[in-house]
Amino acid sequence: MRTDCGCGCGGDATSTSAFVRPRFFAGQLLTEDDLSLLVEYTTAKSRLHNRSLYGPGVICGLAVSCDPCGGGTVAVHPGHALDCAGNDIVVPCTERVDVRALVRERRISALGVDCGENCDNDADDGGRRYGLYVRYQESPVEPVAPYATEEPCPSPGCVPSRIQEGFRFVVGPDDVEDHRHNPGTRLLASLGDLARADRARIRDRRLGMYVDALLVASLGTGRTFRFDAADARRYAAAFAWLRANAGGEGPPPPPTAREMTEHVRALAAAVARFDTYDQAGREQLGRDYPDLATVREARGVLGTACERLRGADLEAVWPDPLRRTIARAAVTETAARVVPEGGDPDAALEVRMLAQGTPLGHALRVEFRADIGLIREWLLGRLDQAADLADCALRTEVAAVDVPPPLPPPPPDSTEKATVAEVQQLAEAAAALGTAVRRLLTDAACATLNPPCGDSADTDVLLAHLELDGCDVVRVCSATREQVLPGGSAYGEWLPKLYRLRELAERVCCRPLPAYQRPTLPTEGPVARPYAEGLLGDWPRTGDLEEMLSLLLTPAPGETPPKALHEQVYTTPSEVTDSMQELARLRTQVSDLTAALEGLRAQMSSAQTQVTHLAEQLPERLGPRLAELEGAPDEAPAEAAQASDQTDEPAKPSAPPAKRARAPRTRKSGETP
């Protein structure tokens, strides 16, 4: 049997081939090669359709039942099956299969010797459970004698003139390869290790909740944050709860500590908004919202609550380290920026971050730097290993992101202030990488809707699982064998999902690339910014893309689970980590020196501007005199050159010029000597 299909790239019977069919014309001399090519073409096309459109498995019939006489035989009823090469296997009538003989044949094939029938010793065969398979086979039949030709070699004897398609039964291991394709497998191949992907995605989620706040705080330095009725209600509710629960001895239990932290963040945000107003604005707010008359008392209540929360076991209160850092920043920044009378006017960035409900502490900034580096490293790693990337510009854009260098962990409860340049760099990098993560996930999810071609080389089709007791078959099970489904094995098992996935793909795939929309600030007046609700709660993943990913990764009842990709994880040696931290400190020092140099340049520019301004204010009478003094050294050479031109004699060395006598100054009337 030919297993190649005319493929010019080394294909076999289970691979798609480059087909060639014969072309006939009048007067052509037909040979056996031409006619054989026609047969091979039609046969190969039929097999291609079978394996691509349907896949391997049982189409109908081929039920396996116990033999009426018992013993070691079973009955296989008529039916039709396809193997993974696309061959049709047709059993036209009921066949009695001697399972004992097949087991013995398998043992002889494995050992290379016939040790006699021994039904009790099947350890080498993997136990007493087998799979009964049907295998396609071809047999040459109907030999005929060829006519004599003028070939130099003598004609051979009889040659088969037909190929009969048939089958044979075999037994093998009870486990069987599943040819069905779960689209989640391809998604996992794009995302890599799911734990590492989730680690990058959850950090991107946290950064996404801070990006707008970071940009608004850095761009709106000196601007007032609007205090409206919603802020007044939040102020009143949080203040009432803290006044009733902030006192007490010792740290609060975890449930109370979590609730107390939320109220501290809400009350601190309202007071921080109040602090962004000037004195006249605060007085007006007090008239509009009478509850703000208790701001001084609210600061004291916040101080008491922060003192109690400092003693709480944060690991027990916040098991998630990402939320734990935000909670610590809420307590530390509130105590440093809001609790003091009048707030902290020297920490404009930190106060504006608190006003939006997004506290930004020193430790959180250090974590943000590390998170940005982790997300970029994960993105570049996945893009380097992507075999079918469709977003062609993504890798270049990710590599071009300006990632802030990592910093060593700060001391506990550090209140070091951030700079505008640092906050803007964090926001720009987080926004760019967040957009890149969404683009990669979209690309990976949309690629799953294109199933791969099957490449299995196992052409046996499972008919039933058999259980033997000694030499007798005692149990036959055909329920879990592979069936040919509409759409083939690549689509068959997740057809119920396909329609919803296609609907989501119309809204997600082949659309303009997602882009980050920067917040816009009004040209004048207070800045309206929403309070960040749910910052310390659950971070739900919503939207069409998230629903698409959930459908792909969550197996339905009876669906095969997606196959995870096992990758080797490399760890960075401590020497490299220490060197990176030292390099980060050096970069920080260089940044400080650069900022100092820019300050000196600004001072020099200011001095030059002052000199120009003074020159413009000089009396008009001094202008000609200054021009005369500036041009005096050039007059003598000019006069000497003129005299040399008038005489043909060589010029003699001239004596040094005498000092110019100063003309007496004439006083104007009214001047005092």
Side-chain angles (χ1 to χ4, degrees), residues 103-118 121-126:
V103 171
R104 183 183 178 191
E105 178 184 349
R106 182 174 185 271
R107 183 183 298 113
I108 294 173
S109 175
L111 299 178
V113 63
D114 186 1
C115 300
E117 185 174 3
N118 184 0
N121 185 14
D122 285 324
D124 295 336
D125 292 312

Side-chain angles (χ1 to χ4, degrees), residues 10 78 90 104 174 188 304 360 434 460 471 479 499 538 558 605 635 670:
V90 179
R104 183 183 178 191
D174 188 47
L188 290 178
T304 303
L360 182 67
D460 293 342
C471 293
Y499 303 105
D538 294 332
S605 176
E635 292 180 358

Side-chain angles (χ1 to χ4, degrees), residues 19-25 28-43:
F19 293 95
V20 178
R21 65 177 184 268
R23 179 181 177 273
F24 304 111
F25 55 90
Q28 179 183 3
L29 175 63
L30 294 180
T31 65
E32 67 273 16
D33 292 337
D34 300 311
L35 299 178
S36 297
L37 179 60
L38 178 60
V39 173
E40 291 174 359
Y41 173 79
T42 56
T43 303

Side-chain angles (χ1 to χ4, degrees), residues 164-182:
Q164 181 177 345
E165 297 184 350
F167 58 87
R168 63 184 295 246
F169 298 102
V170 295
V171 294
D174 188 47
D175 55 340
V176 62
E177 179 184 1
D178 197 333
H179 298 92
R180 293 179 295 175
H181 169 69
N182 189 306

Side-chain angles (χ1 to χ4, degrees), residues 176-246:
V176 62
E177 179 184 1
D178 197 333
H179 298 92
R180 293 179 295 175
H181 169 69
N182 189 306
T185 300
R186 185 167 183 176
L187 179 62
L188 290 178
S190 299
L191 300 183
D193 181 69
L194 196 57
R196 297 183 66 188
D198 286 340
R199 188 159 57 248
R201 291 184 63 198
I202 195 65
R203 280 158 175 77
D204 171 67
R205 180 74 172 172
R206 183 174 70 167
L207 284 169
M209 303 179 74
Y210 267 81
V211 170
D212 286 354
L214 290 170
L215 283 175
V216 170
S218 60
L219 298 176
T221 304
R223 301 289 297 275
T224 300
F225 278 68
R226 178 179 298 171
F227 192 101
D228 54 19
D231 299 308
R233 290 192 295 270
R234 190 179 306 108
Y235 172 90
F239 179 47
W241 192 95
L242 289 174
R243 185 164 51 182
N245 299 277

